[in-house]
Amino acid sequence: VTTDELDAVAHAAYVELGAYPSTLGYRGFTKSICTSVNGVICHGIPDDRPLRHGDVVNVDVTAYVDGMHGDNSATFCVGDPSPAIAGLIETTREATLRGIAAVGPGAELRCVAEAIEPFAWSRGYGVIREYGGHGIGRTFHAAPHVDHGLQSPSTVVLVPGMTFTVEPMLVTGRATFEQAPDGWTEHVDDDLPSAQFEHTVLVTDTGVDILTVTAEGKTAVGTLDDLVTA
Ligand code: MF3
Ligand code: CO
Ligand code: CO
């Protein structure tokens, strides 16, 4: 399967569901999803390279429906993951859930990074600091910028009604990267695998809701209750 094929499947699904793919035509981006494979941390452009056994693939889906954007991604392994890849993906999933679970009214925005970066480090992974989550709603990428690392902890106070993404990128090696000549693809310098999960969340009166869920309420990272009881 090529990532172009995944893009075609996704494009048909957006249209069938009455959504527009937010990335299509966004600042010159030409595809309906981002597919970031192995050492690509984010913004990979679907292409005609067939995926291979063991590839680590993030699929980032953004839908514009009824005047609002939703942004959601998950990372998969092609075939059975090695223990190292399984650990990377599983830790990134849990880091994302921990970041989301930290959100609530009255908290400061740095609560997300506080929940994510020390946890990732404790498992031996790095966290990308130059890209973060973002406010989202009528606009695809809005304020605030949501750091996943503690480089400059934000004191922005969260209030009910805010919507933003939590989307940490974890790396196996060094958290330094470079942009490809295509102007989008961000690739780690050491070529070691990276992973990412992303959800769009809403600050509520009592805590946080994950908005990017299936019709049955399922998320890509599990449920907040799982984490509390784990
Ligand atoms: N979905 C990405 C995000 O999480 C943004 C993709 S913009 C694109 O913010 F142009 F690269 F598709
Ligand atoms: Co996003
Ligand atoms: Co996204």
Side-chain angles (χ1 to χ4, degrees):
V1 175
T2 67
T3 46
D4 269 341
E5 290 174 316
L6 300 183
D7 183 66
V9 168
H11 187 89
Y14 290 106
V15 172
E16 189 187 318
L17 296 166
Y20 183 86
S22 308
T23 59
L24 186 57
Y26 175 77
R27 298 178 180 224
F29 198 83
T30 55
K31 302 287 170 121
S32 299
I33 54 174
C34 296
T35 51
S36 300
V37 180
N38 298 332
V40 176
I41 57 166
C42 65
H43 304 164
I45 307 171
D47 63 18
D48 59 5
R49 169 189 170 288
L51 292 168
R52 289 190 278 261
H53 190 269
D55 279 345
V56 181
V57 188
N58 174 274
V59 180
D60 194 331
V61 174
T62 48
Y64 184 64
V65 193
D66 294 339
M68 293 287 171
H69 297 271
D71 198 354
N72 187 196
S73 87
T75 296
F76 308 90
C77 183
V78 180
D80 290 331
S82 65
I85 294 302
L88 169 68
I89 294 175
E90 171 56 19
T91 303
T92 308
R93 182 200 65 75
E94 186 174 340
T96 308
L97 188 58
R98 284 173 178 256
I100 294 168
V103 171
E108 293 178 341
L109 190 52
R110 65 186 156 82
C111 66
V112 173
E114 285 170 349
I116 290 174
E117 195 173 52
F119 171 71
W121 285 356
S122 78
R123 300 276 175 99
Y125 300 103
V127 177
I128 297 292
R129 288 182 155 188
E130 290 78 7
Y131 278 103
H134 47 91
I136 186 169
R138 289 188 177 82
T139 303
F140 186 3
H141 290 113
H145 180 80
V146 182
D147 284 329
H148 305 112
L150 286 161
Q151 61 275 22
S152 54
S154 169
T155 56
V156 166
V157 176
L158 304 181
V159 298
M162 285 181 167
T163 49
F164 54 84
T165 71
V166 176
E167 50 176 303
M169 283 143 271
L170 269 58
V171 294
T172 320
R174 282 175 61 85
T176 60
F177 60 93
E178 202 177 324
Q179 191 175 84
D182 63 25
W184 287 104
T185 310
E186 303 287 359
H187 197 290
V188 287
D189 296 325
D190 60 15
D191 213 21
L192 293 171
S194 65
Q196 179 180 31
F197 284 79
E198 173 175 26
H199 278 293
T200 298
V201 306
L202 165 71
V203 181
T204 66
D205 289 335
T206 54
V208 61
D209 267 359
I210 302 178
L211 300 180
T212 39
V213 295
T214 67
E216 296 77 39
K218 284 202 173 145
T219 84
V221 296
T223 73
L224 296 168
D225 298 338
D226 295 339
L227 193 62
V228 177
T229 55

